[in-house]
């Protein structure tokens, strides 16, 4: 099995992307896959989109590519839509973007956002709803009270992936979704993010804490999220990506110069509220 570097949700954050690519180079992967949302939120959509298409073997579209190409289709909040409209202007004329935009306008969104190999499914969100559905247990305040309902929902999501291993982004949180019978994968020798990890009678939605290596995946049904390069939301502001070899996944965190990205966002020609919102959240990791 080749060693694959998996990136997702770069969101126009060039400083984070370049920091991650320097870390990727130290690991010498055989392939690089990007699961979508390379654009949106951040100040450098054009530069990030061009860079990803230079180095990645597979690049999917996400909901932000779809909203940028076809404004109004993704039901976004006003601030996200404002950034998507600005991103569309910044991307205008970039050859790989024009190709993707043409495919999206031609109705090829499913092909761009959901690809399947012999043992792996690649998707931005979830199969059947590749740019909309979150593989996610929901709000942690519901984890106890609605435990059976969340557990059933996660079981159904896991069942949508017809290959042994699936990869998705969209949530901006690194995670492994699997069945509870595979709980021995998650050893007591490393900590986990107790704020976001969900335990149900049938499923585990496991969120690692910092750098984490999970082995013994071969022969197990798992869905893996590498987290977000450009806008993590697990209370760790460092860029996140994952290295995978068929049996092991290595979640890696990379510091970058957050202040540089924040300054670039604050200089964008969008509303002040939008600038402040997307700049401030980067240093909080949420």
């Amino acid at each position: 099995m080749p060693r694959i570097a998996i990136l997702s949700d770069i969101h126009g954050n060039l400083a984070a992307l370049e920091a991650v690519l320097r870390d990727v180079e130290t690991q010498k992967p055989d392939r690089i896959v990007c699961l979508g949302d390379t654009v949106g939120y951040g100040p450098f959509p054009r530069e990030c989109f061009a860079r990803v298409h230079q180095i990645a073997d597979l690049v999917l579209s996400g909901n932000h590519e779809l909203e940028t190409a076809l404004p109004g289709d993704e039901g976004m909040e006003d601030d996200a839509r404002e950034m998507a409209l600005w991103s569309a202007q910044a991307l205008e004329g970039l050859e790989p973007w024009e190709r993707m935009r043409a495919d999206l306008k031609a109705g090829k969104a499913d092909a761009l956002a959901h690809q399947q190999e012999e043992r792996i499914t690649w998707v931005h969100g979830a199969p059947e709803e590749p740019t909309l559905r979150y593989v996610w247990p929901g709000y942690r305040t519901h984890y106890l009270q609605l435990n059976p309902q969340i557990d059933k929902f996660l079981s159904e999501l896991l069942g949508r992936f017809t290959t042994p291993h699936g990869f998705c982004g969209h949530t901006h949180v690194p995670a492994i979704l699997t069945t509870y019978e595979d709980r021995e994968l998650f050893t007591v020798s490393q900590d986990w993010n107790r704020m976001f990890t969900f335990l149900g009678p049938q499923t585990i939605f496991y969120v690692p804490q910092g750098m984490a290596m999970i082995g013994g995946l071969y022969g197990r049904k798992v869905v893996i999220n590498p987290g977000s390069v450009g806008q993590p939301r697990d209370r760790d502001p460092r860029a996140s990506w994952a290295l995978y070899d068929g049996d092991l996944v290595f979640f890696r965190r990379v510091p970058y110069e957050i202040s540089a990205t924040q300054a670039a966002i604050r200089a964008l020609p969008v509303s002040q509220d939008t600038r402040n919102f997307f700049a401030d959240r980067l240093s909080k990791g949420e």
Side-chain angles (χ1 to χ4, degrees), residues 224-235:
I224 299 168
N225 190 318
S228 172
V229 170
Q231 195 187 94
R233 295 180 185 169
D234 60 344
R235 304 291 176 88

Side-chain angles (χ1 to χ4, degrees), residues 130-147:
T131 61
L132 291 174
R133 175 65 61 190
Y134 291 87
V135 178
W136 177 250
Y139 294 105
R140 56 190 178 275
T141 53
H142 298 159
Y143 282 9
L144 293 180
Q145 186 177 14
L146 300 179
N147 191 278

Side-chain angles (χ1 to χ4, degrees), residues 223-260:
V223 174
I224 299 168
N225 190 318
S228 172
V229 170
Q231 195 187 94
R233 295 180 185 169
D234 60 344
R235 304 291 176 88
D236 183 343
R238 294 177 296 172
S240 179
W241 70 282
L243 183 69
Y244 164 82
D245 70 359
D247 187 58
L248 180 147
V249 61
F250 188 5
F251 294 99
R252 297 183 64 83
R253 304 306 290 251
V254 184
Y256 71 97
E257 192 176 352
I258 294 173
S259 61

Side-chain angles (χ1 to χ4, degrees), residues 141-161:
T141 53
H142 298 159
Y143 282 9
L144 293 180
Q145 186 177 14
L146 300 179
N147 191 278
Q149 293 92 332
I150 295 172
D151 187 65
K152 182 175 183 293
F153 172 69
L154 290 176
S155 293
E156 291 171 353
L157 284 178
L158 188 61
R160 291 191 186 190
F161 290 80

Side-chain angles (χ1 to χ4, degrees), residues 10 12 14 17-18 21 38-39 44-56 59 65 90-91 93-97 99:
I10 297 163
L14 186 62
L17 174 60
E18 293 295 356
L21 291 180
T38 302
V39 306
F44 298 109
R46 186 183 185 92
E47 293 83 352
C48 288
F49 203 84
R51 187 79 171 99
V52 163
H53 279 78
Q54 287 174 349
I55 54 91
V59 180
E65 278 83 10
L91 288 159
L94 181 66
E95 195 270 337
W97 167 249
R99 285 202 316 268

Side-chain angles (χ1 to χ4, degrees), residues 195-208:
M195 179 175 290
F196 295 103
T197 294
F198 171 84
L199 301 175
Q202 304 297 323
T203 61
I204 291 179
F205 183 85
Y206 177 89
V207 178

Side-chain angles (χ1 to χ4, degrees), residues 17-231:
L17 174 60
E18 293 295 356
V20 162
L21 291 180
R22 288 191 292 271
D23 193 47
V24 167
E25 178 60 27
T26 68
Q27 301 301 307
K28 305 296 182 186
D30 301 295
R31 296 175 61 193
I32 298 177
V33 170
C34 179
L35 300 177
D37 275 8
T38 302
V39 306
Y41 298 149
F44 298 109
R46 186 183 185 92
E47 293 83 352
C48 288
F49 203 84
R51 187 79 171 99
V52 163
H53 279 78
Q54 287 174 349
I55 54 91
D57 300 279
L58 172 64
V59 180
L60 300 184
S61 60
N63 56 305
H64 282 262
E65 278 83 10
L66 195 55
E67 175 67 27
T68 301
L70 303 171
D73 281 11
E74 291 299 286
M76 290 184 175
E77 299 290 337
D78 289 344
D79 49 13
R81 181 172 289 114
E82 185 179 10
M83 290 294 282
L85 290 172
W86 174 82
S87 295
Q89 296 173 5
L91 288 159
E92 192 74 33
L94 181 66
E95 195 270 337
W97 167 249
E98 296 298 344
R99 285 202 316 268
M100 180 178 282
R101 182 167 69 167
D103 287 339
L104 291 169
K105 287 185 174 181
K108 299 179 181 179
D110 288 349
L112 290 168
H114 179 194
Q115 302 223 2
Q116 193 165 303
E117 300 174 4
E118 182 180 357
R119 300 184 57 81
I120 303 173
T121 298
W122 307 107
V123 65
H124 180 68
E128 301 169 33
E129 298 173 282
T131 61
L132 291 174
R133 175 65 61 190
Y134 291 87
V135 178
W136 177 250
Y139 294 105
R140 56 190 178 275
T141 53
H142 298 159
Y143 282 9
L144 293 180
Q145 186 177 14
L146 300 179
N147 191 278
Q149 293 92 332
I150 295 172
D151 187 65
K152 182 175 183 293
F153 172 69
L154 290 176
S155 293
E156 291 171 353
L157 284 178
L158 188 61
R160 291 191 186 190
F161 290 80
T162 57
T163 55
H165 293 174
F167 289 87
C168 64
H170 202 30
T171 70
H172 296 214
V173 173
I176 298 179
L177 172 62
T178 189
T179 59
Y180 190 77
E181 65 186 14
D182 289 331
R183 62 190 179 277
E184 69 272 15
L185 288 173
F186 312 113
T187 67
V188 296
S189 62
Q190 58 190 25
D191 203 358
W192 68 91
N193 189 319
R194 288 166 173 78
M195 179 175 290
F196 295 103
T197 294
F198 171 84
L199 301 175
Q202 304 297 323
T203 61
I204 291 179
F205 183 85
Y206 177 89
V207 178
Q209 186 76 32
M211 304 271 270
M213 190 177 294
I214 311 295
L217 301 179
Y218 187 82
R220 319 269 190 151
K221 181 68 176 288
V222 295
V223 174
I224 299 168
N225 190 318
S228 172
V229 170
Q231 195 187 94

